[in-house]
Amino acid sequence: MVSVLQNVAIDCADAYELARFWSEVTGCPLHPEDNPGDPEIDVMLPEGPLLHFNQVPEPKTVKKRMHLCLRPKTSREEEVERLLSLGATLVADRREPDGAGWAVLADPEGNEFCVLRSESDRAAMSSRGSHTQGRQPS
């Protein structure tokens, strides 16, 4: 027997507003029965688990040990700019001059996430013969 991952739950102060942000990030809709003011909201990803936003009374106080990593369909640089325009903030820039690395951003409630290189960014680096060290899937 095994378990199936149902959703990734994100505690937040305003479930609807944070889910709207992540709906814009992913380009995926909110659950059709979810409304402003609901304490639980789902973003309906096309495959895999849901993003489930759960309104809680306590604020975020420390860095979470788990976070989302995004692989954009456009270039990493274009996606970072798009996400910043949606309300994300840049937390740490781990991008390297050779094109390797990633950017750490935070959503409007301070939950950190990473933007990795796109497949086209990775292919361009491979064609130049660049290699990255370590296991970070940037």
Side-chain angles (χ1 to χ4, degrees):
M1 293 295 221
V2 298
S3 294
V4 175
L5 185 59
Q6 175 65 38
N7 63 50
V8 176
I10 301 168
D11 290 350
C12 55
D14 187 331
Y16 188 80
E17 285 305 312
L18 196 58
R20 278 191 28 189
F21 170 82
W22 282 99
S23 174
E24 289 289 324
V25 168
T26 62
C28 297
L30 300 180
H31 189 282
E33 295 178 12
D34 290 344
N35 296 298
D38 288 351
E40 297 182 23
I41 306 287
D42 291 324
V43 174
M44 309 297 292
L45 302 177
E47 313 177 351
L50 302 171
L51 289 180
H52 177 80
F53 296 86
N54 186 43
Q55 205 158 296
V56 297
E58 53 282 335
K60 177 183 178 284
T61 56
V62 297
K63 180 182 183 237
K64 305 264 192 271
R65 295 192 50 102
M66 184 168 44
H67 63 269
L68 302 176
C69 291
L70 306 176
R71 183 156 327 269
K73 295 187 183 211
T74 62
S75 76
R76 178 188 57 209
E77 309 320 316
E78 290 173 308
E79 185 65 354
V80 166
E81 290 306 314
R82 183 181 82 86
L83 298 173
L84 293 172
S85 75
L86 290 176
T89 56
L90 183 64
V91 173
D93 195 340
R94 304 280 191 246
R95 295 173 281 189
E96 302 292 332
D98 69 354
W102 61 95
V104 180
L105 280 69
D107 70 20
E109 289 200 16
N111 300 300
E112 295 179 14
F113 61 97
C114 295
V115 181
L116 309 175
R117 293 177 295 156
S118 68
E119 291 301 332
S120 61
D121 292 338
R122 292 165 55 113
M125 277 190 74
S126 292
S127 68
R128 292 193 308 259
S130 294
H131 297 32
T132 58
Q133 299 292 323
R135 293 182 49 122
Q136 175 65 29
S138 63

